[in-house]
Amino acid sequence: MSPKIDFTLGSLHFIFNEKSAFYFLNKIRSLNVHGEIEIETEALESLENILFQIFIIKEDDFIFYKNNSIKLWITEEMREYIDYKLSEFLSQGDFYPAEVGSFQRTNSKMLFTKIKMIDLYFIKEV
């Protein structure tokens, strides 16, 4: 069981229950440098299937999303932090703080070299 995803302006929310957190944690732990995992999940509002891919890279965290596809490039440090956040959720029952981090959106260079950032949150399903 994978987490549900909710898109909001400038942020992306992953919504977890205990089963989806355990599933996602196992996937994250299996990921090595230059590795990749794919998870099929769904959007919260539309129930559309979304292909979610995570890649480990050496530096900088990036995100790309369009239509029914999300790609997340994370460093080893971010992988460890996500592991920590999910482990804490499984032991304590909530995410606090909910923010995981800010990721540069790879397809959105703005005028005057402003870079669009997307905030990623882990949220407990209610």
Side-chain angles (χ1 to χ4, degrees):
M1 172 181 236
S2 49
K4 292 187 170 103
I5 295 176
D6 188 23
F7 298 96
T8 61
L9 187 60
S11 67
L12 187 60
H13 298 170
F14 283 39
I15 297 123
F16 290 94
N17 59 31
E18 190 173 302
K19 289 181 183 177
S20 61
F22 185 75
Y23 172 79
F24 198 78
L25 179 60
N26 285 330
K27 287 285 198 176
I28 286 292
R29 287 183 173 167
S30 71
L31 191 55
N32 297 316
V33 173
H34 303 298
E36 169 189 351
I37 57 173
E38 287 188 2
I39 300 170
E40 190 168 307
T41 188
E42 60 186 38
L44 185 65
E45 296 292 322
S46 65
L47 301 180
E48 291 181 32
N49 285 341
I50 296 173
L51 179 62
F52 176 58
Q53 298 170 288
I54 302 176
F55 308 89
I56 295 284
I57 57 175
K58 292 280 185 193
E59 51 187 66
D60 298 327
D61 299 309
F62 295 95
I63 192 167
F64 171 83
Y65 64 87
K66 186 173 183 179
N67 300 332
N68 296 347
S69 175
I70 298 172
K71 294 180 182 182
L72 190 63
W73 291 270
I74 59 174
T75 59
E76 181 64 29
E77 292 82 16
M78 180 56 74
R79 187 200 65 78
E80 291 171 3
Y81 185 63
I82 290 172
D83 183 311
Y84 168 77
K85 295 285 283 179
L86 292 167
S87 297
E88 284 288 302
F89 172 73
L90 289 170
S91 68
Q92 298 184 11
D94 207 354
F95 293 105
Y96 183 79
E99 185 173 4
V100 174
S102 291
F103 295 79
Q104 181 179 329
R105 187 167 177 186
T106 62
N107 63 338
S108 62
K109 292 264 185 177
M110 306 295 256
L111 293 175
F112 311 112
T113 66
K114 288 185 181 177
I115 297 172
K116 186 167 185 178
M117 301 300 286
I118 303 296
D119 295 325
L120 178 65
Y121 295 90
F122 285 178
I123 308 292
K124 178 182 177 179
E125 184 177 58
V126 288

mmCIF file of all heavy atoms in Angstrom, residues 11-16 24 28 52 54 61 63 72-75 77-86 89 95-103 118-123:
data_model
loop_
_atom_site.group_PDB
_atom_site.id
_atom_site.type_symbol
_atom_site.label_atom_id
_atom_site.label_comp_id
_atom_site.label_asym_id
_atom_site.label_seq_id
_atom_site.Cartn_x
_atom_site.Cartn_y
_atom_site.Cartn_z
ATOM 1 N N SER A 11 3.369 23.171 -2.999
ATOM 2 C CA SER A 11 3.738 22.070 -2.107
ATOM 3 C C SER A 11 3.121 20.752 -2.571
ATOM 4 O O SER A 11 2.177 20.717 -3.347
ATOM 5 C CB SER A 11 3.322 22.370 -0.669
ATOM 6 O OG SER A 11 1.926 22.391 -0.549
ATOM 7 N N LEU A 12 3.703 19.708 -2.061
ATOM 8 C CA LEU A 12 3.275 18.350 -2.358
ATOM 9 C C LEU A 12 3.155 17.621 -1.025
ATOM 10 O O LEU A 12 4.095 17.636 -0.220
ATOM 11 C CB LEU A 12 4.337 17.700 -3.242
ATOM 12 C CG LEU A 12 4.093 16.350 -3.827
ATOM 13 C CD1 LEU A 12 2.859 16.361 -4.727
ATOM 14 C CD2 LEU A 12 5.317 15.933 -4.652
ATOM 15 N N HIS A 13 1.998 17.030 -0.768
ATOM 16 C CA HIS A 13 1.754 16.332 0.492
ATOM 17 C C HIS A 13 1.654 14.838 0.233
ATOM 18 O O HIS A 13 0.876 14.413 -0.623
ATOM 19 C CB HIS A 13 0.446 16.794 1.131
ATOM 20 C CG HIS A 13 0.450 18.236 1.487
ATOM 21 N ND1 HIS A 13 -0.686 18.889 1.880
ATOM 22 C CD2 HIS A 13 1.427 19.160 1.532
ATOM 23 C CE1 HIS A 13 -0.405 20.157 2.137
ATOM 24 N NE2 HIS A 13 0.873 20.332 1.925
ATOM 25 N N PHE A 14 2.410 14.073 0.990
ATOM 26 C CA PHE A 14 2.286 12.619 0.986
ATOM 27 C C PHE A 14 1.487 12.255 2.220
ATOM 28 O O PHE A 14 1.878 12.612 3.337
ATOM 29 C CB PHE A 14 3.649 11.958 1.047
ATOM 30 C CG PHE A 14 4.399 11.962 -0.244
ATOM 31 C CD1 PHE A 14 4.381 13.057 -1.090
ATOM 32 C CD2 PHE A 14 5.119 10.854 -0.636
ATOM 33 C CE1 PHE A 14 5.065 13.057 -2.274
ATOM 34 C CE2 PHE A 14 5.814 10.837 -1.830
ATOM 35 C CZ PHE A 14 5.798 11.942 -2.654
ATOM 36 N N ILE A 15 0.391 11.538 2.036
ATOM 37 C CA ILE A 15 -0.504 11.209 3.141
ATOM 38 C C ILE A 15 -0.334 9.732 3.479
ATOM 39 O O ILE A 15 -0.555 8.874 2.631
ATOM 40 C CB ILE A 15 -1.963 11.553 2.799
ATOM 41 C CG1 ILE A 15 -2.048 13.067 2.581
ATOM 42 C CG2 ILE A 15 -2.905 11.140 3.902
ATOM 43 C CD1 ILE A 15 -2.575 13.463 1.274
ATOM 44 N N PHE A 16 0.073 9.471 4.717
ATOM 45 C CA PHE A 16 0.412 8.124 5.154
ATOM 46 C C PHE A 16 -0.526 7.614 6.233
ATOM 47 O O PHE A 16 -0.954 8.363 7.096
ATOM 48 C CB PHE A 16 1.823 8.095 5.765
ATOM 49 C CG PHE A 16 2.930 8.288 4.786
ATOM 50 C CD1 PHE A 16 3.460 9.551 4.565
ATOM 51 C CD2 PHE A 16 3.469 7.209 4.108
ATOM 52 C CE1 PHE A 16 4.507 9.732 3.677
ATOM 53 C CE2 PHE A 16 4.513 7.378 3.220
ATOM 54 C CZ PHE A 16 5.034 8.634 3.000
ATOM 55 N N PHE A 24 6.464 2.318 2.347
ATOM 56 C CA PHE A 24 7.346 3.349 1.802
ATOM 57 C C PHE A 24 8.719 3.293 2.478
ATOM 58 O O PHE A 24 9.752 3.445 1.813
ATOM 59 C CB PHE A 24 6.694 4.717 1.991
ATOM 60 C CG PHE A 24 7.257 5.793 1.119
ATOM 61 C CD1 PHE A 24 6.889 5.878 -0.214
ATOM 62 C CD2 PHE A 24 8.145 6.722 1.628
ATOM 63 C CE1 PHE A 24 7.401 6.882 -1.030
ATOM 64 C CE2 PHE A 24 8.659 7.733 0.826
ATOM 65 C CZ PHE A 24 8.284 7.807 -0.512
ATOM 66 N N ILE A 28 12.308 2.879 0.616
ATOM 67 C CA ILE A 28 13.383 3.854 0.798
ATOM 68 C C ILE A 28 14.653 3.164 1.291
ATOM 69 O O ILE A 28 15.756 3.475 0.845
ATOM 70 C CB ILE A 28 12.943 4.971 1.782
ATOM 71 C CG1 ILE A 28 11.960 5.914 1.091
ATOM 72 C CG2 ILE A 28 14.120 5.734 2.345
ATOM 73 C CD1 ILE A 28 12.558 6.754 -0.015
ATOM 74 N N PHE A 52 5.258 7.352 -9.287
ATOM 75 C CA PHE A 52 6.183 8.105 -8.454
ATOM 76 C C PHE A 52 7.529 7.394 -8.491
ATOM 77 O O PHE A 52 7.619 6.206 -8.189
ATOM 78 C CB PHE A 52 5.638 8.179 -7.028
ATOM 79 C CG PHE A 52 6.544 8.847 -6.056
ATOM 80 C CD1 PHE A 52 6.975 10.142 -6.265
ATOM 81 C CD2 PHE A 52 6.966 8.181 -4.921
ATOM 82 C CE1 PHE A 52 7.819 10.767 -5.361
ATOM 83 C CE2 PHE A 52 7.802 8.792 -4.002
ATOM 84 C CZ PHE A 52 8.232 10.087 -4.231
ATOM 85 N N ILE A 54 11.755 7.651 -7.391
ATOM 86 C CA ILE A 54 12.769 8.285 -6.554
ATOM 87 C C ILE A 54 14.136 7.801 -7.027
ATOM 88 O O ILE A 54 14.341 6.607 -7.243
ATOM 89 C CB ILE A 54 12.603 7.938 -5.066
ATOM 90 C CG1 ILE A 54 11.230 8.355 -4.560
ATOM 91 C CG2 ILE A 54 13.688 8.610 -4.233
ATOM 92 C CD1 ILE A 54 10.960 7.954 -3.126
ATOM 93 N N ASP A 61 18.738 18.303 -4.172
ATOM 94 C CA ASP A 61 17.451 17.603 -4.239
ATOM 95 C C ASP A 61 16.576 18.317 -5.264
ATOM 96 O O ASP A 61 16.436 19.538 -5.212
ATOM 97 C CB ASP A 61 16.765 17.627 -2.868
ATOM 98 C CG ASP A 61 17.590 16.939 -1.788
ATOM 99 O OD1 ASP A 61 18.003 15.794 -2.024
ATOM 100 O OD2 ASP A 61 17.797 17.536 -0.724
ATOM 101 N N ILE A 63 12.833 18.032 -7.835
ATOM 102 C CA ILE A 63 11.543 17.395 -8.075
ATOM 103 C C ILE A 63 11.033 17.813 -9.444
ATOM 104 O O ILE A 63 11.293 18.911 -9.913
ATOM 105 C CB ILE A 63 10.516 17.760 -6.974
ATOM 106 C CG1 ILE A 63 9.285 16.876 -7.080
ATOM 107 C CG2 ILE A 63 10.158 19.239 -7.030
ATOM 108 C CD1 ILE A 63 8.377 16.952 -5.866
ATOM 109 N N LEU A 72 11.516 12.350 -8.135
ATOM 110 C CA LEU A 72 12.195 12.991 -7.022
ATOM 111 C C LEU A 72 13.636 12.497 -6.997
ATOM 112 O O LEU A 72 13.885 11.300 -6.909
ATOM 113 C CB LEU A 72 11.481 12.620 -5.717
ATOM 114 C CG LEU A 72 11.851 13.323 -4.444
ATOM 115 C CD1 LEU A 72 11.549 14.815 -4.530
ATOM 116 C CD2 LEU A 72 11.096 12.719 -3.271
ATOM 117 N N TRP A 73 14.591 13.444 -7.134
ATOM 118 C CA TRP A 73 16.012 13.133 -7.033
ATOM 119 C C TRP A 73 16.467 13.600 -5.677
ATOM 120 O O TRP A 73 16.339 14.784 -5.356
ATOM 121 C CB TRP A 73 16.802 13.842 -8.135
ATOM 122 C CG TRP A 73 16.526 13.320 -9.499
ATOM 123 C CD1 TRP A 73 17.184 12.314 -10.144
ATOM 124 C CD2 TRP A 73 15.527 13.784 -10.420
ATOM 125 N NE1 TRP A 73 16.654 12.128 -11.400
ATOM 126 C CE2 TRP A 73 15.638 13.010 -11.600
ATOM 127 C CE3 TRP A 73 14.548 14.781 -10.359
ATOM 128 C CZ2 TRP A 73 14.827 13.203 -12.700
ATOM 129 C CZ3 TRP A 73 13.717 14.965 -11.452
ATOM 130 C CH2 TRP A 73 13.863 14.184 -12.606
ATOM 131 N N ILE A 74 16.984 12.677 -4.856
ATOM 132 C CA ILE A 74 17.365 13.023 -3.498
ATOM 133 C C ILE A 74 18.802 12.572 -3.213
ATOM 134 O O ILE A 74 19.301 11.624 -3.809
ATOM 135 C CB ILE A 74 16.414 12.404 -2.445
ATOM 136 C CG1 ILE A 74 16.387 10.878 -2.533
ATOM 137 C CG2 ILE A 74 15.017 12.981 -2.587
ATOM 138 C CD1 ILE A 74 15.586 10.191 -1.433
ATOM 139 N N THR A 75 19.429 13.275 -2.282
ATOM 140 C CA THR A 75 20.761 12.898 -1.830
ATOM 141 C C THR A 75 20.647 11.775 -0.803
ATOM 142 O O THR A 75 19.554 11.493 -0.280
ATOM 143 C CB THR A 75 21.463 14.090 -1.185
ATOM 144 O OG1 THR A 75 20.676 14.537 -0.073
ATOM 145 C CG2 THR A 75 21.674 15.226 -2.181
ATOM 146 N N GLU A 77 21.719 11.945 2.147
ATOM 147 C CA GLU A 77 21.303 12.580 3.405
ATOM 148 C C GLU A 77 19.782 12.736 3.474
ATOM 149 O O GLU A 77 19.176 12.526 4.530
ATOM 150 C CB GLU A 77 21.967 13.953 3.577
ATOM 151 C CG GLU A 77 23.463 13.894 3.791
ATOM 152 C CD GLU A 77 24.265 13.745 2.486
ATOM 153 O OE1 GLU A 77 23.724 13.991 1.383
ATOM 154 O OE2 GLU A 77 25.434 13.350 2.572
ATOM 155 N N MET A 78 19.160 13.098 2.356
ATOM 156 C CA MET A 78 17.697 13.226 2.336
ATOM 157 C C MET A 78 17.049 11.853 2.479
ATOM 158 O O MET A 78 16.035 11.709 3.156
ATOM 159 C CB MET A 78 17.227 13.922 1.054
ATOM 160 C CG MET A 78 15.723 14.096 0.973
ATOM 161 S SD MET A 78 14.960 14.975 2.366
ATOM 162 C CE MET A 78 15.468 16.642 2.035
ATOM 163 N N ARG A 79 17.638 10.821 1.871
ATOM 164 C CA ARG A 79 17.105 9.464 2.018
ATOM 165 C C ARG A 79 17.128 9.070 3.496
ATOM 166 O O ARG A 79 16.154 8.529 4.021
ATOM 167 C CB ARG A 79 17.894 8.461 1.183
ATOM 168 C CG ARG A 79 17.232 7.069 1.191
ATOM 169 C CD ARG A 79 18.177 5.968 0.811
ATOM 170 N NE ARG A 79 19.259 5.791 1.772
ATOM 171 C CZ ARG A 79 19.137 5.160 2.961
ATOM 172 N NH1 ARG A 79 17.984 4.687 3.355
ATOM 173 N NH2 ARG A 79 20.178 5.041 3.761
ATOM 174 N N GLU A 80 18.218 9.377 4.175
ATOM 175 C CA GLU A 80 18.319 9.065 5.600
ATOM 176 C C GLU A 80 17.294 9.852 6.417
ATOM 177 O O GLU A 80 16.712 9.332 7.372
ATOM 178 C CB GLU A 80 19.732 9.351 6.104
ATOM 179 C CG GLU A 80 20.760 8.389 5.561
ATOM 180 C CD GLU A 80 22.189 8.784 5.878
ATOM 181 O OE1 GLU A 80 22.397 9.807 6.587
ATOM 182 O OE2 GLU A 80 23.093 8.082 5.405
ATOM 183 N N TYR A 81 17.054 11.114 6.049
ATOM 184 C CA TYR A 81 16.070 11.929 6.762
ATOM 185 C C TYR A 81 14.650 11.395 6.549
ATOM 186 O O TYR A 81 13.854 11.331 7.487
ATOM 187 C CB TYR A 81 16.169 13.393 6.332
ATOM 188 C CG TYR A 81 15.251 14.304 7.116
ATOM 189 C CD1 TYR A 81 15.419 14.457 8.483
ATOM 190 C CD2 TYR A 81 14.220 14.979 6.492
ATOM 191 C CE1 TYR A 81 14.575 15.280 9.222
ATOM 192 C CE2 TYR A 81 13.364 15.803 7.219
ATOM 193 C CZ TYR A 81 13.547 15.950 8.578
ATOM 194 O OH TYR A 81 12.708 16.755 9.304
ATOM 195 N N ILE A 82 14.339 10.987 5.323
ATOM 196 C CA ILE A 82 13.026 10.401 5.041
ATOM 197 C C ILE A 82 12.857 9.106 5.840
ATOM 198 O O ILE A 82 11.795 8.856 6.415
ATOM 199 C CB ILE A 82 12.844 10.180 3.532
ATOM 200 C CG1 ILE A 82 12.697 11.530 2.824
ATOM 201 C CG2 ILE A 82 11.657 9.276 3.240
ATOM 202 C CD1 ILE A 82 12.713 11.453 1.310
ATOM 203 N N ASP A 83 13.893 8.294 5.899
ATOM 204 C CA ASP A 83 13.881 7.070 6.704
ATOM 205 C C ASP A 83 13.570 7.425 8.157
ATOM 206 O O ASP A 83 12.712 6.803 8.802
ATOM 207 C CB ASP A 83 15.243 6.373 6.579
ATOM 208 C CG ASP A 83 15.325 5.054 7.316
ATOM 209 O OD1 ASP A 83 14.944 4.982 8.493
ATOM 210 O OD2 ASP A 83 15.815 4.087 6.712
ATOM 211 N N TYR A 84 14.250 8.436 8.679
ATOM 212 C CA TYR A 84 14.035 8.885 10.057
ATOM 213 C C TYR A 84 12.584 9.347 10.283
ATOM 214 O O TYR A 84 11.949 8.967 11.266
ATOM 215 C CB TYR A 84 15.013 10.011 10.385
ATOM 216 C CG TYR A 84 14.696 10.749 11.659
ATOM 217 C CD1 TYR A 84 14.983 10.206 12.906
ATOM 218 C CD2 TYR A 84 14.084 12.007 11.609
ATOM 219 C CE1 TYR A 84 14.675 10.888 14.067
ATOM 220 C CE2 TYR A 84 13.778 12.690 12.768
ATOM 221 C CZ TYR A 84 14.069 12.132 13.989
ATOM 222 O OH TYR A 84 13.748 12.804 15.148
ATOM 223 N N LYS A 85 12.071 10.176 9.357
ATOM 224 C CA LYS A 85 10.699 10.699 9.496
ATOM 225 C C LYS A 85 9.678 9.558 9.525
ATOM 226 O O LYS A 85 8.744 9.565 10.329
ATOM 227 C CB LYS A 85 10.355 11.658 8.357
ATOM 228 C CG LYS A 85 11.153 12.937 8.303
ATOM 229 C CD LYS A 85 10.744 13.931 9.341
ATOM 230 C CE LYS A 85 9.462 14.614 8.956
ATOM 231 N NZ LYS A 85 9.026 15.584 9.954
ATOM 232 N N LEU A 86 9.833 8.587 8.642
ATOM 233 C CA LEU A 86 8.900 7.464 8.584
ATOM 234 C C LEU A 86 9.029 6.570 9.816
ATOM 235 O O LEU A 86 8.015 6.101 10.351
ATOM 236 C CB LEU A 86 9.112 6.660 7.299
ATOM 237 C CG LEU A 86 8.727 7.390 6.015
ATOM 238 C CD1 LEU A 86 9.257 6.659 4.794
ATOM 239 C CD2 LEU A 86 7.221 7.575 5.927
ATOM 240 N N PHE A 89 7.305 8.304 12.644
ATOM 241 C CA PHE A 89 5.850 8.186 12.481
ATOM 242 C C PHE A 89 5.373 6.816 12.971
ATOM 243 O O PHE A 89 4.367 6.721 13.679
ATOM 244 C CB PHE A 89 5.451 8.401 11.024
ATOM 245 C CG PHE A 89 4.009 8.113 10.744
ATOM 246 C CD1 PHE A 89 3.014 8.971 11.163
ATOM 247 C CD2 PHE A 89 3.638 6.957 10.070
ATOM 248 C CE1 PHE A 89 1.674 8.702 10.909
ATOM 249 C CE2 PHE A 89 2.300 6.678 9.816
ATOM 250 C CZ PHE A 89 1.316 7.549 10.237
ATOM 251 N N PHE A 95 3.621 12.912 12.310
ATOM 252 C CA PHE A 95 4.771 13.603 11.752
ATOM 253 C C PHE A 95 4.854 14.990 12.392
ATOM 254 O O PHE A 95 3.910 15.767 12.300
ATOM 255 C CB PHE A 95 4.621 13.790 10.236
ATOM 256 C CG PHE A 95 4.651 12.516 9.464
ATOM 257 C CD1 PHE A 95 3.501 11.981 8.928
ATOM 258 C CD2 PHE A 95 5.856 11.842 9.254
ATOM 259 C CE1 PHE A 95 3.528 10.804 8.194
ATOM 260 C CE2 PHE A 95 5.895 10.666 8.529
ATOM 261 C CZ PHE A 95 4.727 10.148 7.998
ATOM 262 N N TYR A 96 5.957 15.257 13.056
ATOM 263 C CA TYR A 96 6.165 16.594 13.595
ATOM 264 C C TYR A 96 7.649 16.906 13.576
ATOM 265 O O TYR A 96 8.420 16.172 14.189
ATOM 266 C CB TYR A 96 5.652 16.735 15.024
ATOM 267 C CG TYR A 96 5.819 18.144 15.525
ATOM 268 C CD1 TYR A 96 4.913 19.130 15.152
ATOM 269 C CD2 TYR A 96 6.907 18.489 16.305
ATOM 270 C CE1 TYR A 96 5.089 20.439 15.583
ATOM 271 C CE2 TYR A 96 7.085 19.790 16.735
ATOM 272 C CZ TYR A 96 6.172 20.757 16.373
ATOM 273 O OH TYR A 96 6.348 22.049 16.792
ATOM 274 N N PRO A 97 8.063 17.905 12.867
ATOM 275 C CA PRO A 97 7.263 18.749 11.969
ATOM 276 C C PRO A 97 6.920 17.989 10.691
ATOM 277 O O PRO A 97 7.597 17.028 10.329
ATOM 278 C CB PRO A 97 8.175 19.938 11.670
ATOM 279 C CG PRO A 97 9.552 19.392 11.829
ATOM 280 C CD PRO A 97 9.466 18.332 12.902
ATOM 281 N N ALA A 98 5.898 18.444 10.009
ATOM 282 C CA ALA A 98 5.423 17.760 8.809
ATOM 283 C C ALA A 98 6.308 18.024 7.597
ATOM 284 O O ALA A 98 6.352 17.212 6.684
ATOM 285 C CB ALA A 98 3.986 18.186 8.498
ATOM 286 N N GLU A 99 7.021 19.145 7.584
ATOM 287 C CA GLU A 99 7.827 19.487 6.408
ATOM 288 C C GLU A 99 9.056 18.594 6.314
ATOM 289 O O GLU A 99 9.795 18.421 7.273
ATOM 290 C CB GLU A 99 8.268 20.951 6.452
ATOM 291 C CG GLU A 99 9.003 21.351 5.195
ATOM 292 C CD GLU A 99 9.316 22.837 5.132
ATOM 293 O OE1 GLU A 99 9.031 23.562 6.092
ATOM 294 O OE2 GLU A 99 9.859 23.251 4.106
ATOM 295 N N VAL A 100 9.251 18.016 5.135
ATOM 296 C CA VAL A 100 10.419 17.184 4.860
ATOM 297 C C VAL A 100 11.539 18.035 4.290
ATOM 298 O O VAL A 100 12.695 17.880 4.641
ATOM 299 C CB VAL A 100 10.058 16.032 3.899
ATOM 300 C CG1 VAL A 100 11.286 15.240 3.499
ATOM 301 C CG2 VAL A 100 9.004 15.132 4.525
ATOM 302 N N GLY A 101 11.196 18.958 3.395
ATOM 303 C CA GLY A 101 12.210 19.828 2.816
ATOM 304 C C GLY A 101 11.683 20.572 1.609
ATOM 305 O O GLY A 101 10.553 20.360 1.173
ATOM 306 N N SER A 102 12.519 21.443 1.064
ATOM 307 C CA SER A 102 12.197 22.188 -0.154
ATOM 308 C C SER A 102 13.044 21.642 -1.290
ATOM 309 O O SER A 102 14.242 21.435 -1.128
ATOM 310 C CB SER A 102 12.490 23.677 0.016
ATOM 311 O OG SER A 102 11.581 24.239 0.917
ATOM 312 N N PHE A 103 12.403 21.433 -2.420
ATOM 313 C CA PHE A 103 13.052 20.842 -3.577
ATOM 314 C C PHE A 103 12.940 21.792 -4.755
ATOM 315 O O PHE A 103 11.882 22.379 -4.989
ATOM 316 C CB PHE A 103 12.384 19.514 -3.941
ATOM 317 C CG PHE A 103 12.549 18.470 -2.883
ATOM 318 C CD1 PHE A 103 11.763 18.478 -1.740
ATOM 319 C CD2 PHE A 103 13.503 17.484 -3.016
ATOM 320 C CE1 PHE A 103 11.920 17.520 -0.754
ATOM 321 C CE2 PHE A 103 13.666 16.520 -2.039
ATOM 322 C CZ PHE A 103 12.875 16.535 -0.903
ATOM 323 N N ILE A 118 9.546 23.736 -4.381
ATOM 324 C CA ILE A 118 8.359 22.989 -3.989
ATOM 325 C C ILE A 118 8.630 22.387 -2.611
ATOM 326 O O ILE A 118 9.648 21.726 -2.405
ATOM 327 C CB ILE A 118 8.052 21.850 -4.992
ATOM 328 C CG1 ILE A 118 7.884 22.392 -6.408
ATOM 329 C CG2 ILE A 118 6.845 21.043 -4.557
ATOM 330 C CD1 ILE A 118 6.721 23.321 -6.603
ATOM 331 N N ASP A 119 7.733 22.626 -1.662
ATOM 332 C CA ASP A 119 7.867 22.065 -0.314
ATOM 333 C C ASP A 119 7.210 20.697 -0.281
ATOM 334 O O ASP A 119 6.115 20.496 -0.807
ATOM 335 C CB ASP A 119 7.206 22.973 0.713
ATOM 336 C CG ASP A 119 7.896 24.313 0.817
ATOM 337 O OD1 ASP A 119 9.139 24.355 0.674
ATOM 338 O OD2 ASP A 119 7.206 25.323 1.029
ATOM 339 N N LEU A 120 7.887 19.749 0.365
ATOM 340 C CA LEU A 120 7.375 18.384 0.506
ATOM 341 C C LEU A 120 7.008 18.157 1.969
ATOM 342 O O LEU A 120 7.804 18.451 2.865
ATOM 343 C CB LEU A 120 8.441 17.381 0.060
ATOM 344 C CG LEU A 120 8.078 15.913 0.186
ATOM 345 C CD1 LEU A 120 6.917 15.558 -0.744
ATOM 346 C CD2 LEU A 120 9.284 15.041 -0.126
ATOM 347 N N TYR A 121 5.792 17.659 2.191
ATOM 348 C CA TYR A 121 5.283 17.390 3.538
ATOM 349 C C TYR A 121 4.843 15.950 3.661
ATOM 350 O O TYR A 121 4.302 15.380 2.710
ATOM 351 C CB TYR A 121 4.076 18.276 3.852
ATOM 352 C CG TYR A 121 4.375 19.737 3.912
ATOM 353 C CD1 TYR A 121 4.285 20.538 2.783
ATOM 354 C CD2 TYR A 121 4.767 20.336 5.116
ATOM 355 C CE1 TYR A 121 4.561 21.893 2.838
ATOM 356 C CE2 TYR A 121 5.057 21.703 5.169
ATOM 357 C CZ TYR A 121 4.946 22.461 4.032
ATOM 358 O OH TYR A 121 5.230 23.803 4.086
ATOM 359 N N PHE A 122 5.037 15.366 4.825
ATOM 360 C CA PHE A 122 4.479 14.067 5.184
ATOM 361 C C PHE A 122 3.346 14.342 6.175
ATOM 362 O O PHE A 122 3.559 14.990 7.196
ATOM 363 C CB PHE A 122 5.516 13.168 5.825
ATOM 364 C CG PHE A 122 6.521 12.574 4.865
ATOM 365 C CD1 PHE A 122 7.528 11.773 5.340
ATOM 366 C CD2 PHE A 122 6.445 12.788 3.497
ATOM 367 C CE1 PHE A 122 8.464 11.205 4.488
ATOM 368 C CE2 PHE A 122 7.364 12.240 2.634
ATOM 369 C CZ PHE A 122 8.387 11.431 3.132
ATOM 370 N N ILE A 123 2.173 13.819 5.862
ATOM 371 C CA ILE A 123 0.968 14.078 6.653
ATOM 372 C C ILE A 123 0.350 12.748 7.096
ATOM 373 O O ILE A 123 0.309 11.783 6.328
ATOM 374 C CB ILE A 123 -0.086 14.844 5.805
ATOM 375 C CG1 ILE A 123 0.514 16.094 5.165
ATOM 376 C CG2 ILE A 123 -1.339 15.151 6.612
ATOM 377 C CD1 ILE A 123 0.887 17.185 6.115
#
